Every structure is written in C-alpha cells, then in structure tokens.
Amino acid sequence: MTANLRIALVGNPNCGKTALFNLLTGSNQKVANYAGVTVERKEGVFHTSDGNLLHFLDLPGAYSLEATSPDEAVTRDVLKGQYRGEPEPDVLVCVADATNLRLHLRFVLELIALGRPMVLALNMMDAARKHGIDIDTEVLAKELGIPVVETIAINKDGANKLVDKLNQRGWDAASTQAESLSLEQRHQRVRLLMEKAVTITGIKKTLDDKIDAIVLHPVLGLVVLAVLMFFIFQAVFSWAEPVMDLITNGITDLGSWVTSPLPKDSALFSLLNDGIFAGLGNVLVFLPQILILFFFIITLEESGYLPRAAYLLDRMMFRAGLTGRAFIPLLSSFACAIPGIMAARTISDPRDRLTTILVAPLMTCSARLPVYTLLIAAFIPKQSVAGTFNLQGIVLFCLYFAGIISALLVAYVMKWLRRDKREHALLMELPSYRIPHLRDLAYGLLQRAKMFLKRVGGIIFSLTVILWVLCTFPGAPVGATEPAINYSFAGVLGHWLSYVFEPVGFNWQICIALVPGMAAREVAVSALGTVYAMSGTEDMVANQLGHVIASTWSLGTALSLLAWYVFAPQCISTLAVIRRETNSWKVMAVSLVYLFALAYLASMATYHITEWLL
C-alpha cells in the first residue's frame, strides 16, 4: 500500500535534494551549487500512474541529527516527529552525492538508526563515473539493508526509478533495521562500506583542481574576483541601454495613445498621465538591468564559484567579526535582504547569526538598482575611462562596494562592543564546478522578471495611485499661484518633512518620495515621477524623470540621496523578517535606528562635502 505516502527528502547540504524535489513535484524552488540554499521545509505532491498520491517534503540539508543551526533543527524535528503540526514521514529518501559518498554515508547510517522505512538515492552518478568512481549499488544496498536507486537530479529517468521503487514496496511495515552506532563506529562502518562497494580508479588532477589553483590563490583569486565583479557592473550599464530605450519609447507611445482621447484638465487624464505612466513607467524601464545583474548572479550560483569566493574572503570577514559562513546569506542579500536574513539560519553560533542578520540590509539589494541607475544616469556623464571602462558602471560598482565595506565596518564595531570574543573558523564544503544548466538559468531569470513585474503591478501600482490621490486633494484654493500639489496632503507633508531633511540637501519632493519608499525602495522612483509630473512639469517628466532631476537638483543632493539609499532601511518587509527571525522587537528597533542614523549622517556628510568642493 503506497497511497498518500508522506516522503521526506533528506541529506547533506548541496546533494541535489531540491533539484530532485522540483523534478518530482513540478515545483520551482530555488537551487544553486552551494550549501545552505534550502532553510525551510517545502512540500509538493506527485501523482503516480496508478492513482497514488505521494507527498514529498524537501528538508534543509543537515550533516547530522545533532543539529547545530536552526535549519538543521527543522530537519531533525520533522524526522523525529517533533515538528509542530507535522506528522512523522512514512518514508525517508536520503539523497547522497555519489562523488562524495564517504562524507554522506555517515548521515545515511545515522538516519538508518531512526528505524524508519528508507531509500538511498545516489545522486550525481554521472559525475561520479566521470571522476572514476564506480559504486556497486547492489552491494551497497545489501550492506545497508535498504533499497539504493541511482539518480541524476536533472534527469527524469532517475526520478522515475525512484518513484517506481516507492510505488513497489509495502511501506506500512518497518523495513529498515535500526542500528544505533557511536560516532567512531559509524566512521569504521563507512570505511568498510567504501571498501566493499566503491572502486575509485584513475585519480588524477582534474579540471576542478586546475581552476582552483587560480581562483583559490590568495592573490590571483582576489584579482579574479575583483575583475569578475567589475565586469558585471560594467555590463549592467553597457548592455541594457538598447532595451531600456525600447521600453521607454514603448511606454511613451502607449501613454500618448491611451490619454489622447481624454480632456487634459480631467482627473482621469491626470491619474493616467501623471500617476500611472509617469510613475510606473520610470520603474519598468529598469527591468533589463535587473535581469542582466541576475543573469550573472544565477550563473555564479550554478557554477559552484561562490563558495570559493567565500573561502577567499573568509580572512577579511573573520577580522571584521563575521564568520565565513555569513558569505552566502550576505550574497543572497544582493538579490533581496529577506532570503539573505533567512539564510542566516545556517549559521550555528547565535552571536554570529545575529551579526549577519543586522548587517544583511546593508548589502545592495535589487530594489536599490532603479534608484541608483536613475541618479547615475542623470548626474554621471556617459563617458569612457581609460578608453575602455564605462564611468557610470564604475560608479555603480563603487556603490555596491560601499555597501560591502559598510557591512564589514558595522560588524567590526559590533565585534569591538561585544563581550564574547570567541572566533569561529570557516568549515565549508566546496562543490564541483559545473556548467550552468540553460533551463535553470532561463527559469531563474523568468522568476526574477515575474517578481519584478508583480511588484510593479501590485505594491508599486497601489502606492502610486494612493500617492496621486494625496498629491491631488485637496485642490488649490481660489487665487493660488503655486502648483496645486503644494496645497495637497502630500505637498503639506513634504514641506513639513523638508525641515528635517534640509540639512542633508533633500527638497520637499524627495521627502514625499521617501514616505511610500518605506514599503519598497523602488517605489521612490515612481513616486518622484508622479510628484514631478504634478508639479507642473508633466510634459517634460513623461518617462524622462532623469532629465528633470538633473536640471533641478544639485550634484550634492543627488550624491546625498545615493548615500541615503546605501544605508537607509527603506523596506518594511525586511524589518518584519528581522523581527521574525530574531523573535525580538528590540533587535528590530536597533536595526531600524542604527540604519537610519547611518543614512542621515552619511547623506549630510556627502551633501556638505560636495557643496564645499564645487
């Protein structure tokens, strides 16, 4: 009987569980070629050809049931039936990396000791054979006393064999003989299993070793990393321009077509022209740059290079008070701080985990990109440096670098303040290199595009409409000489806030944009578009916001706003996740206050130094 089985996919980190889970259930959970991507349990179903329903659980990777981090604790609790609201799984599918079987077998033996029905899925068998590793699965199955299935997580054949195996056996009866072993006994058992079932031939220096000799070199490796990052930010500006021009022209034409039948003094014309097209249009245009940035991020994730970068930067992070394991959460924060903060669950030490969570918002998330590129394009000349490099790309690189340096400095200050001076060395498994799969790359970009467009059509659209209402009502009094927005709710609020932000060089229009920008950083761009469109400059601002601010702001104001967005916690969702992950309002308040204080001081210093120099 196999109907409605609950099956837990479990194994060491980066063994291919999630790729197998996606293949079996049709889910689209994130996969990458490094440990620590899955930090929560995921659930999906598979309908067999004979009508059975298989419920699959994708559990965070773990090296042992003796959990040392919050994500490993989730796996342990689910497997032992201690996870609240979650019954024990009926069957365990332990996924093991066939290229590193010696390490994975220790966890296999620990799982067998649970006495649950279990299947061993030997994943990456194709890579193992290329490395000269021959595994006799029949001998291994006999020695372990459980079925062994060969799989390749991106290949349906292996997944089908696994489903057939799950469908064949009568899993109601306990089919695994529990055998509790000490750690030393497990090591001895693994040695015996490797001798009986595994033959390794033709070991020689592999391509991975040759690449690692360069990218892990203490000097050459850092040069490679710097060049790689520099190239990415150059590409973001240089490659996106033709597509951005197409989007701009398309939005302009669409706006003209939609609003042309409407009277120009009507509220509907103002809403569509000043609110929707001037606001959303100025955000949509940044989609190509976001996709180019994520093309490189996903490629690096899939290739297996990122853990090498963590190894290279470990010494610097160690001195700053961060553990090398913080690299992956901080890197994830370049996409969005929320998954980055959640990825900190892989850090076992609570002190190191808290430090990582508090500095993660300083990493430059993709939501900052529209603000950065708007201001850079408006104020930084489009010219070459040394005949090769794009000056705008160099400035963007410096802004991302400023976020990294800021995070290290804040971590160093926290290290200096804390009483606990213990240090924790980095222990990280380096995966084999692999060529990114085009399907995963295309799917990752599609997901990012969907997420961006969903935000544009959801929260950004909603806030743009609300802002238009606040900028429109109440109308100007009879005999008023200023633009109507000056007398509106938003105008009055902007003028009040300008007293607070005048020392940092912000005008009242920027102050208005900062308020909805608290919900999502990129909303500030659409808000600026709407505010300036309703300030009497609608003919000029329609999808050309950069030209408007370049002619009305000083360079000091523009650089001050850039400095503000390097530090400011302009994202309520990030603060909410900090509260949830730390279970502390106090930590969230500390994060909010210190980030706003840094943003204000950095903006004020940037504004006054720039004004003094010019």
Side-chain angles (χ1 to χ4, degrees):
M1 175 181 173
T2 57
N4 299 330
L5 276 179
R6 292 181 61 79
I7 301 161
L9 293 176
V10 62
N12 287 174
N14 201 34
C15 63
K17 295 185 307 301
T18 302
L20 189 59
F21 174 80
N22 287 341
L23 193 65
L24 287 165
T25 64
S27 300
N28 298 309
Q29 301 300 327
K30 179 179 178 180
V31 295
N33 190 14
Y34 55 81
V37 176
T38 304
V39 295
E40 292 183 300
R41 60 175 285 286
K42 308 290 184 184
E43 188 168 356
V45 296
F46 178 87
H47 297 270
T48 65
S49 56
D50 53 2
N52 289 324
L53 197 61
L54 305 179
H55 293 267
F56 283 96
L57 299 175
D58 181 24
L59 300 178
Y63 290 104
S64 170
L65 292 177
E66 296 174 6
T68 59
S69 58
D71 60 327
E72 287 189 343
V74 171
T75 297
R76 176 202 60 200
D77 291 346
V78 170
L79 294 179
K80 292 189 174 182
Q82 298 169 350
Y83 194 85
R84 189 172 58 183
E86 180 82 55
E88 279 187 344
D90 300 306
V91 182
L92 309 183
V93 173
C94 182
V95 184
D97 180 354
T99 64
N100 195 9
L101 193 57
R102 185 184 297 276
L103 173 66
H104 289 244
L105 277 176
R106 290 200 290 269
F107 192 42
V108 172
L109 295 176
E110 200 174 353
L111 292 175
I112 289 175
L114 292 175
R116 310 291 306 167
M118 179 170 158
V119 176
L120 174 61
L122 277 182
N123 202 24
M124 307 182 201
M125 283 297 291
D126 53 338
R129 294 190 179 98
K130 288 181 181 177
H131 284 79
I133 302 171
D134 182 40
I135 302 174
D136 190 329
T137 54
E138 292 185 4
V139 172
L140 190 61
K142 181 180 178 183
E143 291 294 323
L144 290 172
I146 58 174
V148 177
V149 179
E150 296 184 13
T151 62
I152 301 171
I154 58 173
N155 189 318
K156 285 190 176 180
D157 290 343
N160 291 336
K161 289 179 184 175
L162 177 62
V163 170
D164 290 343
K165 186 66 69 176
L166 292 170
N167 228 12
Q168 288 170 6
R169 297 203 43 152
W171 297 108
D172 285 349
S175 54
T176 305
Q177 185 177 0
E179 185 180 10
S180 183
L181 302 173
S182 66
L183 181 61
E184 181 56 32
Q185 288 173 323
R186 282 204 296 273
H187 283 295
Q188 291 178 357
R189 185 77 193 281
V190 168
R191 281 195 291 272
L192 289 173
L193 288 168
M194 292 294 292
E195 289 173 5
K196 291 183 177 179
V198 181
T199 305
I200 302 177
T201 57
I203 293 182
K204 56 185 179 181
K205 196 171 185 179
T206 64
L207 181 61
D208 285 14
D209 297 326
K210 295 175 183 175
I211 297 174
D212 280 344
I214 298 173
V215 301
L216 294 181
H217 189 277
V219 178
L220 285 178
L222 290 174
V223 172
V224 170
L225 178 61
V227 170
L228 197 56
M229 294 296 109
F230 192 76
F231 175 77
I232 290 173
F233 295 116
Q234 289 287 307
V236 166
F237 258 98
S238 302
W239 296 1
E241 190 170 343
V243 185
M244 291 177 72
D245 289 342
L246 283 176
I247 294 176
T248 300
N249 295 333
I251 292 172
T252 302
D253 294 342
L254 180 62
S256 300
W257 181 73
V258 170
T259 58
S260 58
L262 302 173
K264 288 196 173 182
D265 57 350
S266 67
L268 182 58
F269 177 87
S270 176
L271 172 62
L272 294 173
N273 189 61
D274 305 334
I276 306 301
F277 287 103
L280 299 187
N282 282 300
V283 179
L284 273 174
V285 74
F286 296 107
L287 178 60
Q289 290 181 321
I290 290 173
L291 293 183
I292 289 173
L293 178 64
F294 276 94
F295 168 80
F296 287 106
I297 290 178
I298 295 170
T299 300
L300 292 177
E301 285 180 342
E302 290 281 315
S303 69
Y305 174 74
L306 292 185
R308 271 85 177 175
Y311 170 80
L312 280 173
L313 298 176
D314 178 56
R315 179 174 294 181
M316 183 171 63
M317 296 177 70
F318 188 78
R319 288 177 178 172
L322 287 165
T323 170
R325 293 194 69 84
F327 179 80
I328 298 300
L330 294 182
L331 185 79
S332 300
S333 299
F334 278 111
C336 177
I338 293 172
I341 291 169
M342 292 174 65
R345 295 177 187 176
T346 59
I347 301 173
S348 55
D349 185 80
R351 185 205 64 192
D352 293 341
R353 181 168 173 260
L354 178 61
T355 303
T356 304
I357 288 174
L358 287 177
V359 303
L362 290 169
M363 296 294 104
T364 304
C365 68
S366 60
R368 286 180 170 101
L369 193 58
V371 181
Y372 285 175
T373 50
L374 170 69
L375 296 177
I376 291 172
F379 288 91
I380 306 300
K382 189 189 296 183
Q383 63 184 51
S384 299
V385 176
T388 303
F389 303 114
N390 184 309
L391 178 60
Q392 294 177 331
I394 293 174
V395 174
L396 184 63
F397 173 78
C398 291
L399 287 169
Y400 272 74
F401 194 68
I404 296 170
I405 295 298
S406 302
L408 294 176
L409 289 175
V410 170
Y412 185 81
V413 171
M414 293 176 67
K415 174 186 177 183
W416 181 69
L417 290 175
R418 69 195 180 207
R419 296 178 180 176
D420 183 358
K421 303 295 183 184
R422 289 175 301 140
E423 305 289 358
H424 301 100
L426 173 66
L427 185 62
M428 178 176 280
E429 185 180 352
L430 295 181
S432 299
Y433 289 105
R434 70 182 181 210
I435 298 174
H437 198 281
L438 284 179
R439 183 188 62 189
D440 294 338
L441 190 58
Y443 181 77
L445 291 177
L446 181 63
Q447 287 296 100
R448 293 308 309 183
K450 282 183 177 178
M451 288 172 63
F452 179 75
L453 294 175
K454 187 177 179 182
R455 285 171 72 88
V456 170
I459 187 170
I460 297 176
F461 174 81
S462 303
L463 290 173
T464 299
V465 172
I466 291 172
L467 184 64
W468 175 84
V469 172
L470 294 176
C471 290
T472 303
F473 301 102
V478 177
T481 56
E482 298 290 329
I485 190 174
N486 283 278
Y487 306 96
S488 68
F489 293 121
V492 172
L493 177 63
H495 285 294
W496 283 352
L497 288 175
S498 65
Y499 291 111
V500 177
F501 289 98
E502 186 178 359
V504 303
F506 292 177
N507 57 28
W508 64 271
Q509 291 96 336
I510 297 176
C511 293
I512 293 177
L514 292 180
V515 176
M518 277 299 298
R521 291 180 173 91
E522 61 268 53
V523 174
V525 174
S526 65
L528 282 172
T530 299
V531 170
Y532 274 102
M534 302 191 70
S535 299
T537 54
E538 60 267 26
D539 291 338
M540 194 168 49
V541 80
N543 302 314
Q544 299 178 38
L545 180 59
H547 296 299
V548 177
I549 62 175
S551 62
T552 55
W553 295 2
S554 69
L555 179 61
T557 294
L559 296 181
S560 174
L561 187 56
L562 283 174
W564 175 268
Y565 270 93
V566 170
F567 298 101
Q570 295 272 159
C571 181
I572 292 174
S573 300
T574 298
L575 296 172
V577 170
I578 291 176
R579 159 70 182 86
R580 189 187 70 184
E581 292 296 304
T582 61
N583 195 29
S584 169
W585 287 102
K586 181 180 176 182
V587 172
M588 190 200 75
V590 168
S591 176
L592 179 70
V593 170
Y594 103 79
L595 289 170
F596 266 128
L598 278 180
Y600 196 89
L601 293 174
S603 294
M604 187 161 59
T606 302
Y607 175 70
H608 287 287
I609 291 173
T610 306
E611 294 293 310
W612 179 69
L613 290 175
L614 297 178

